[in-house]
Amino acid sequence: MDDYALSFWIYMAVMSVFVGGTLRKFLASHVNAIPSLVAWLGATLLVERLCAMCMPAVLALAIFCATCWLYSLWAAPPPVLPVEGKAVFITGCDSGFGHATARRLDAIGFQVFATVLDADSEGAKHLRSSCSSRLTLLQVDITQPQQVQQALLTTKEKLGIKGLWALVNNAGVCVNFGDAELSFMSNYRGCMEVNFFGTLYVTKTFLPLLRQNKGRIVTISSPSGEQPFPCLASYGASKAALNLFINTLRHELEPWGVKVSTILPSAYKTGQSSNIEYWEKQYQHLLQNLSPSLLEEYGEDYILETKDLFQNYAKSASEDLSPVINTIVEALLSPQPQVRYYAGPGIGLMYFIYSYFPVSISDKFLQKLFLKKVVIPRALRKQNELNHIKNNNNDISSSSNNNNNITRME
């Protein structure tokens, strides 16, 4: 009886290690961990069956020790490359991910080339005061080829014969407010100009330096480039184009030894997202420039709700950018960086549902997760009211006919 009790507790310990390890791995990387998940669940089932057959306590103890040893190897921190002598070029460092990344990489010893839109902005001043002399601040609008070329010349001059280790494509913009039909063509062009064409030009410009070092390209993209987020059509379309370009580049640069990674972050407070005046300005601009017919069909209350939902969603976003910054560092220093990184809470679950659940379920999940709209367009409301009146009239007419029939029968 004592041997059986010992086997039972060893069995529980082994099961805890297996199941705990499985959940840890799965929650950490979700979609990419599916093969590991299957393998660990298979091993768990095997151990469970062996223990169910009342294996001797010595054998159970041996399996438990082997499991712990394998788990310690599996859970050990991955090796990282040395930072010394490595230079990184980062776009969009005025604020948000780019600003925080520039500071982190400078702190751990990288030579950083950080671009900002405005060299006199608060973000630029903060980088100057808080970073070491290794950081070079460059004023660059990535949509202006001459400025990108000047940044290349400055970078080459600073590096000398040394190549560039990595390019972090972070600069981006979301000039969007409202449904796809309500978004102006200038919104679509503005997003494409920065998020796609600007990033494309920077990447092509710096590729020779990256090939020289067999370096890295790390691009901050967005889940909206792959999933149909409501009211983000212009932004999502530009990110979709960017994702395809980067993925194609990954195949083409493999023979050159350049590794390419894409980071897909969840919602964070960056840029103008938490600025109430920004959302109000966007709302007023839309009302003033929308065609009268569209404004009539959608209604001001529908557009107002959209603005409020965007604003509230931005307020609830996380201010802690460290999950994304940590992921960027991992992509830069891992001997074998992943092709895709899911950075931030909930993003792995969202992609798991998107990848493995029916479209109807993933669409509903996305709509509830992002914008929970209640107000429907004014034209649809009128149509529903007319249908309701028509149905009521039909019910009254049907009831009247039934009463007449009863009267005739009497």
Side-chain angles (χ1 to χ4, degrees):
M1 186 67 182
D2 290 341
D3 287 343
Y4 178 79
L6 179 61
S7 297
F8 172 78
W9 287 112
I10 293 176
Y11 155 73
M12 292 300 295
V14 171
M15 287 290 291
S16 298
V17 170
F18 272 105
V19 174
T22 299
L23 290 176
R24 179 180 179 275
K25 184 76 173 178
F26 180 65
L27 292 174
S29 44
H30 290 279
V31 178
N32 286 345
I34 293 300
S36 301
L37 175 66
V38 173
W40 275 83
L41 287 178
T44 301
L45 180 62
L46 176 62
V47 171
E48 193 276 335
R49 287 296 88 202
L50 289 173
C51 289
M53 295 169 62
C54 297
M55 70 172 73
V58 175
L59 180 57
L61 183 61
I63 291 178
F64 176 67
C65 292
T67 300
C68 291
W69 177 70
L70 290 173
Y71 179 75
S72 65
L73 293 178
W74 173 69
V80 295
L81 299 174
V83 174
E84 185 179 0
K86 289 182 170 60
V88 179
F89 189 94
I90 313 172
T91 62
C93 298
D94 302 81
S95 62
F97 299 139
H99 185 89
T101 301
R103 295 185 61 202
R104 172 73 72 83
L105 296 184
D106 174 76
I108 63 178
F110 276 99
Q111 182 179 0
V112 177
F113 296 87
T115 75
V116 292
L117 267 177
D118 183 2
D120 296 321
S121 67
E122 289 301 317
K125 292 176 182 177
H126 190 243
L127 287 177
R128 286 194 191 95
S129 63
S130 62
C131 294
S132 71
S133 58
R134 289 189 306 272
L135 184 137
T136 301
L137 207 60
L138 302 167
Q139 183 168 321
V140 179
D141 180 345
I142 65 171
T143 66
Q144 302 300 317
Q146 68 276 13
Q147 293 186 25
V148 176
Q149 287 296 331
Q150 183 57 52
L152 175 65
L153 293 176
T154 304
T155 303
K156 281 184 174 180
E157 184 181 347
K158 289 269 188 179
L159 291 176
I161 61 173
K162 184 174 66 173
L164 186 67
W165 170 250
L167 167 66
V168 178
N169 287 317
N170 169 73
V173 65
C174 181
V175 286
N176 182 86
F177 186 87
D179 297 39
E181 188 179 12
L182 301 180
S183 298
F184 304 123
M185 287 304 298
S186 59
N187 289 344
Y188 291 95
R189 292 192 179 97
C191 284
M192 288 297 293
E193 195 63 36
V194 177
N195 301 339
F196 178 66
F197 288 113
T199 303
L200 166 64
Y201 190 74
V202 169
T203 304
K204 285 171 61 67
T205 300
F206 283 86
L207 259 179
L209 292 181
L210 295 167
R211 287 191 285 103
Q212 179 183 336
N213 255 11
K214 295 185 178 181
R216 307 282 168 91
I217 298 175
V218 178
T219 301
I220 314 301
S221 187
S222 169
S224 63
E226 299 176 337
Q227 301 188 37
F229 279 78
C231 300
L232 283 180
S234 59
Y235 179 71
S238 66
K239 289 296 187 178
L242 176 63
N243 289 347
L244 184 58
F245 165 68
I246 293 297
N247 207 29
T248 303
L249 200 64
R250 177 175 60 83
H251 287 284
E252 296 172 349
L253 292 179
E254 187 175 354
W256 294 92
V258 177
K259 293 180 170 58
V260 180
S261 299
T262 300
I263 296 177
L264 300 157
S266 56
Y268 290 93
K269 287 184 179 178
T270 58
Q272 297 283 351
S273 63
S274 57
N275 188 342
I276 297 177
E277 293 181 2
Y278 168 79
W279 293 112
E280 186 62 32
K281 184 178 178 181
Q282 291 283 314
Y283 170 64
Q284 293 298 332
H285 177 73
L286 185 58
L287 290 182
Q288 292 167 10
N289 294 277
L290 201 61
S291 68
S293 58
L294 278 178
L295 185 57
E296 173 62 28
E297 291 186 335
Y298 277 87
E300 290 186 23
D301 54 346
Y302 178 85
I303 300 172
L304 177 62
E305 185 198 37
T306 304
K307 186 264 290 186
D308 290 340
L309 289 172
F310 263 95
Q311 190 171 316
N312 291 333
Y313 185 77
K315 284 181 180 178
S316 64
S318 175
E319 294 182 353
D320 179 17
L321 306 183
S322 60
V324 179
I325 311 309
N326 294 339
T327 302
I328 294 173
V329 174
E330 179 183 343
L332 293 176
L333 293 179
S334 172
Q336 294 297 327
Q338 297 178 27
V339 172
R340 294 160 68 86
Y341 289 92
Y342 304 98
I347 192 72
L349 175 62
M350 183 177 69
Y351 265 91
F352 179 76
I353 293 175
Y354 175 73
S355 301
Y356 296 99
F357 280 62
V359 173
S360 58
I361 295 178
S362 63
D363 281 352
K364 288 179 180 178
F365 175 79
L366 193 62
Q367 290 165 0
K368 289 184 177 297
L369 176 71
F370 187 53
L371 296 183
K372 303 175 184 178
K373 292 194 71 65
V374 176
V375 178
I376 62 175
R378 181 183 293 162
L380 292 179
R381 275 177 281 168
K382 290 181 178 179
Q383 183 179 336
N384 290 341
E385 289 171 2
L386 290 174
N387 290 336
H388 181 69
I389 293 172
K390 183 178 179 181
N391 290 335
N392 285 342
N393 290 338
N394 289 337
D395 290 342
I396 293 172
S397 176
S398 175
S399 176
S400 177
N401 290 335
N402 289 337
N403 290 335
N404 290 338
N405 290 335
I406 292 174
T407 302
R408 291 193 191 99
M409 290 177 63
E410 291 176 347

